[in-house]
Amino acid sequence: AALLKQIRNRKYYKVLSMKYFRYATWQEIADAMKPPCGVRNAQKLHGRALQVFDRLLEEMEARQKEG
């Protein structure tokens, strides 16, 4: 959860937190966006958010190996 909080884009944070902590459906996530979006757009946001999360995870792992 701490790594998730490092995501600065609020929509990305919201998509990931709703999907993995609240177990929300794609429709619930789409409806919760401001402004609301379609399911496909929510899924696209999710994909982008996962890329950002993966990059943050890689950076964290690299720092741990250094020190």
Side-chain angles (χ1 to χ4, degrees):
L3 190 59
L4 183 64
K5 290 182 181 181
Q6 292 181 30
I7 295 178
R8 293 182 183 158
N9 183 306
R10 301 311 335 162
K11 285 186 178 186
Y12 292 174
Y13 176 86
K14 188 169 195 167
V15 167
L16 293 178
S17 65
M18 287 186 74
K19 189 68 182 165
Y20 297 108
F21 294 115
R22 298 184 198 160
Y23 306 105
T25 65
W26 290 118
Q27 188 62 58
E28 290 169 333
I29 293 168
D31 292 344
M33 293 293 109
K34 301 290 183 213
C37 66
V39 168
R40 184 68 189 121
N41 283 335
Q43 291 169 333
K44 287 180 182 179
L45 280 171
H46 176 261
R48 292 185 208 125
L50 284 178
Q51 290 175 341
V52 171
F53 185 85
D54 187 52
R55 185 172 27 94
L56 290 171
L57 183 60
E58 287 174 359
E59 290 171 3
M60 182 188 76
E61 289 171 344
R63 283 192 305 271
Q64 287 178 345
K65 286 180 183 177
E66 291 173 356

